[in-house]
Amino acid sequence: MTKVSCIEVRDVSFNYNGNPVLENITFTVEEGEYLGIIGPNGGGKTTLFKIILGLLKPATGEVRIYGEPEPRFGRRHIIGYVPQRAMAEVYFPATVEEIVRSGRTARLGLLKRASKDDRAAIDRAMEITDVTRLKKRLIGELSGGERQRVFIARALASEPKILILDEPDVGVDVTSQEKFYTFIEDLNRNLGITVLLISHDIDVVAHQTKSVLCLNRKLVCHGSPKKFINEEYMQELYGKKVKFILHGH
Amino acid sequence: MPEIFQLDFMLRAFAAGILISIIVPLIGVFLVVRRYSLMADTLAHVSLVGVAIGILTNSQPVVSAVAASTLAAVAIEKLRAVKTLFAESILAIFLSGSLAVAVVIMSLAKGLNVSLLSYLFGSISTIGPVDLYMLAAVFICVLLAIVLLYKEFFLVSFDEEFAEAGGVKARSLNLLIVVLAAVTISLSMRIVGILLIGALMVMPVVSAKQFGLSFRNTIILSILFSLVSVMSGLFLSYYLDLASGGTIVLIALVIFLLSFFLNRPQ
């Protein structure tokens, strides 16, 4: 079987106020991959995601989605985005169902109303993430873990081929975190969704993902999690000796 | 038939009141949920510049008010998109800056006359047939825009970045909302008054929000609150000989207080 590359990042650099944030980043993500991205704060992880999503323009280089240059890529809805979450939406008067449904808006297009198929996709997204029973509740009434599943349901509502998650475990307790990562693994394995995940939890990345990308302004390493559990990389990445403790799973 | 319904100007006031009660909170909800409530008041103050120009040049103040507030709305959105200034600082600058401009133009026009006061605080007896036609046209535009673009407006209000990542034109939609707000405010100032229209755009929405409903039902309830405030305000102001704008906003305030205390967490 030939492997299809769904995201190609070619020689991408980005500056913020004259300071380099990303320098000459090149890598490819193949269809069905589960890629974990780690690195110190300010290492450019979120910036890289925003460039892939077309929210920021790279200073040099380009991103291709399924072979097409990002700015011209018309089917943006095939990428489901789960942004880093603050508490901002706690006061927003909206139900879970309204929020999940809004994930289908871009795919529907202007002036189009949801058809039976669209509504079925929205219901399925709520079922997969187990938020159907919460659908009439307000987003502000939910726990951190529940809210996180709602944002994933919103991303899944457009039936994406690629799922991009930016530190989805912030503000979520440990028990919910474990369940959550099993759930993401299932999405990747059973539905064949390509997953890109930023996490500060090195343990999670080492155990759950199929490949790891270490980013500290430059691409420090890219390969299998085994290759990455290596003190040399950790030192280069975090600037000091980090003892890596493997938890038994 | 009661006397109140036999007077042409009162019938026009009620007709205008119904149109305003529906579109003002409809726009207001999209400002409130994005913590942009001050926008309503800012655009109302900018409208005053247009009114002052209208009085000075002896032309239609409503037309110049629409032009001034629309231009300001576009300028505010452009400045906000640059992201070098805080959104609320931009609004504060426009609010007090436009008041200064209006006051200077007024002094050129030799003074603060009765006509100006009717714009500041609202005066139902001054609504002519032309005002009503213009308001009806704006009513149709606002209603069409919100109904046709509801899902986009919701998405952009809830999460602008997510909308853009999906390819939804967030900036154009933001611009459309503030331009609609500008036009609605300029057309509503005859009834509620420049100094009070901001309150009608925000209060019914904040009151409705206290009930913890879905976004759609929050909108419906805020329109209901706004209708009750405007209609009963017009009645009371007529029979008790009170200023219409003030009476309407006072009723909206009572509704807010009731909504707030009824829904207080135990």
Side-chain angles (χ1 to χ4, degrees), chain A residues 22-38:
Chain A
L22 292 174
E23 287 178 48
N24 307 96
I25 308 294
T26 300
F27 66 94
T28 304
V29 181
E30 276 156 9
E31 207 165 44
E33 202 170 319
Y34 184 172
L35 176 71
I37 299 173
I38 61 153

Side-chain angles (χ1 to χ4, degrees), chain A residues 50 55 76 81 83 85 88-89 91-95 98-99 102 105-106 108-112 138 151 154, chain B residues 33 35 148-152 154-155 157-159 161-162 164-168 209 212-216 218:
Chain A
K50 288 189 176 177
L55 295 170
R76 293 244 201 119
Y81 176 38
R85 272 290 144 218
E89 68 283 336
Y91 301 101
F92 201 100
T95 60
E98 286 179 308
I99 290 163
S102 78
T105 297
L108 271 173
L110 281 176
L111 309 181
K112 299 262 171 54
L138 290 185
F151 289 121
R154 177 179 69 163
Chain B
V33 294
R35 305 183 180 193
L148 294 178
L149 298 171
Y150 177 79
K151 68 181 193 306
E152 281 79 13
F154 174 84
L155 176 65
S157 305
F158 185 72
D159 193 338
E161 199 172 64
F162 181 88
E164 276 182 7
V168 173
K209 203 178 157 294
L213 303 168
S214 68
F215 192 70
R216 202 180 66 113
T218 302

